[in-house]
Amino acid sequence: TDQLLKKYQLTIWESLRPDTLIWLSIEKDHKREIIPLSTAPSITKVLTNTSKKRGIKLILPFADLQDREKLSSSDLWGNYSQTIKAASIRYNSQAILAVRIHQDPSGLWLSKWSLYVLDKVKNWNAKNEDLSLLLSQGIHILADKLAHLFALSSDTLNKNNSIIQVNNVTNFNGFLKTIDYFKHISAIQSSHLIKVKGDSLIFKIYYFGDEKHLSQILSLGDVLQKVENSDLPQTQLEQNKPSEYVSVI
């Protein structure tokens, strides 16, 4: 399979993809407001239909009192990243999309898009005479950028292995859930349980790509979460490989 992917320069993009929360503000009559997407069916339809075609999941904010208290249209138009991220915490998304749209005197719709993902920000502009086409265009660009970040390209299809420690596995169901999770990740060839230490399981994972890509993919689902700044000692089983430490949530 990997030889065919390399031959035809194809990519692997996991079915596990980051949920993306979208904040949208449109300027009308010199007034800027965050659009409650639940009450804007025509806009919502374009966004959801395009995202489904591209295989990505959008999360629409409630735009309720709690949201309005934490994020104003001025915050969104100013692209204040910390405020945007703080207001987004309640939605537990892996990516945040901030969209600002206005119409110039000629009737052309102009937009600015900012994607917050993996502690990075990706910005782009889009314009169109039709608002629906503009929204669809922006979501297509979003999908392309997510694929660039998370898909495994043919030139990185090298086989590697890493030691993964999964903490807080307190019962047999947690063990089965972890094993099943590994099986559903296309980049993982195989996983082998090599040690049990209390409520921690240590696996040897054989996979395509590099360790950074593996870590990003493992963190996308609702099964494992990366443990940052762990003080756990590096396993004796493979001294030359950095260890990944993740916990069941």
Side-chain angles (χ1 to χ4, degrees):
T1 302
D2 54 321
Q3 292 179 347
L4 290 174
L5 290 168
K6 288 181 179 180
K7 179 179 179 180
Y8 294 104
Q9 296 184 330
L10 301 176
T11 59
I12 297 176
W13 195 10
E14 300 287 345
S15 57
L16 283 170
R17 299 173 184 181
D19 294 344
T20 303
L21 174 68
I22 178 169
W23 297 102
L24 172 64
S25 179
I26 297 180
E27 180 180 306
K28 284 186 177 181
D29 300 324
H30 305 290
K31 292 182 180 179
R32 296 171 174 176
E33 62 178 356
I34 296 176
I35 305 298
L37 293 175
S38 59
T39 61
S42 59
I43 291 176
T44 301
K45 183 178 181 180
V46 173
L47 295 174
T48 54
N49 285 350
T50 308
S51 63
K52 285 179 181 178
K53 288 178 181 177
R54 294 302 305 270
I56 57 177
K57 180 183 176 183
L58 291 183
I59 298 176
L60 308 180
F62 301 125
D64 56 9
L65 180 60
Q66 182 176 338
D67 282 345
R68 292 194 296 271
E69 286 179 344
K70 292 189 174 182
L71 185 67
S72 68
S73 59
S74 297
D75 295 326
L76 197 61
W77 281 85
N79 205 19
Y80 298 128
S81 60
Q82 295 304 316
T83 306
I84 293 171
K85 290 178 181 179
S88 304
I89 290 175
R90 69 186 293 203
Y91 296 100
N92 195 34
S93 64
Q94 290 93 25
I96 304 167
L97 184 63
V99 187
R100 293 83 69 193
I101 299 175
H102 73 281
Q103 196 171 26
D104 71 8
S106 71
L108 184 67
W109 291 100
L110 306 172
S111 63
K112 293 183 177 181
W113 304 64
S114 299
L115 171 64
Y116 296 92
V117 62
L118 298 176
D119 295 322
K120 301 175 183 177
V121 58
K122 304 289 184 179
N123 298 301
W124 68 93
N125 299 327
K127 58 185 178 181
N128 203 294
E129 294 179 353
D130 184 282
L131 179 58
S132 295
L133 292 177
L134 174 72
L135 293 169
S136 181
Q137 179 184 352
I139 296 301
H140 280 297
I141 296 174
L142 165 67
D144 291 342
K145 290 187 178 297
L146 289 176
H148 179 75
L149 289 170
F150 290 97
L152 195 61
S153 62
S154 58
D155 58 354
T156 58
L157 283 176
N158 300 315
K159 296 180 181 179
N160 285 302
N161 63 83
S162 290
I163 302 298
I164 302 296
Q165 178 164 322
V166 182
N167 303 321
N168 196 33
V169 183
T170 58
N171 53 52
F172 189 63
N173 284 336
F175 167 74
L176 292 178
K177 192 174 183 180
T178 303
I179 294 294
D180 187 64
Y181 186 54
F182 290 152
K183 288 181 179 178
H184 282 82
I185 297 177
S186 302
I188 293 181
Q189 280 190 302
S190 62
S191 62
H192 305 275
L193 179 65
I194 55 178
K195 188 175 182 181
V196 178
K197 184 172 62 176
D199 64 357
S200 296
L201 307 176
I202 300 177
F203 295 90
K204 191 164 189 177
I205 306 292
Y206 293 86
Y207 59 95
F208 293 111
D210 56 26
E211 194 169 17
K212 180 180 178 181
H213 180 265
L214 177 66
S215 176
Q216 291 172 356
I217 295 299
L218 288 175
S219 299
L220 284 181
D222 295 325
V223 179
L224 303 178
Q225 182 179 0
K226 181 77 179 293
V227 178
E228 302 293 347
N229 301 319
S230 174
D231 57 359
L232 292 171
Q234 186 173 3
T235 176
Q236 298 295 319
L237 295 169
E238 197 166 350
Q239 292 284 358
N240 296 327
K241 289 277 188 179
S243 299
E244 291 287 339
Y245 302 104
V246 290
S247 61
V248 174
I249 54 176

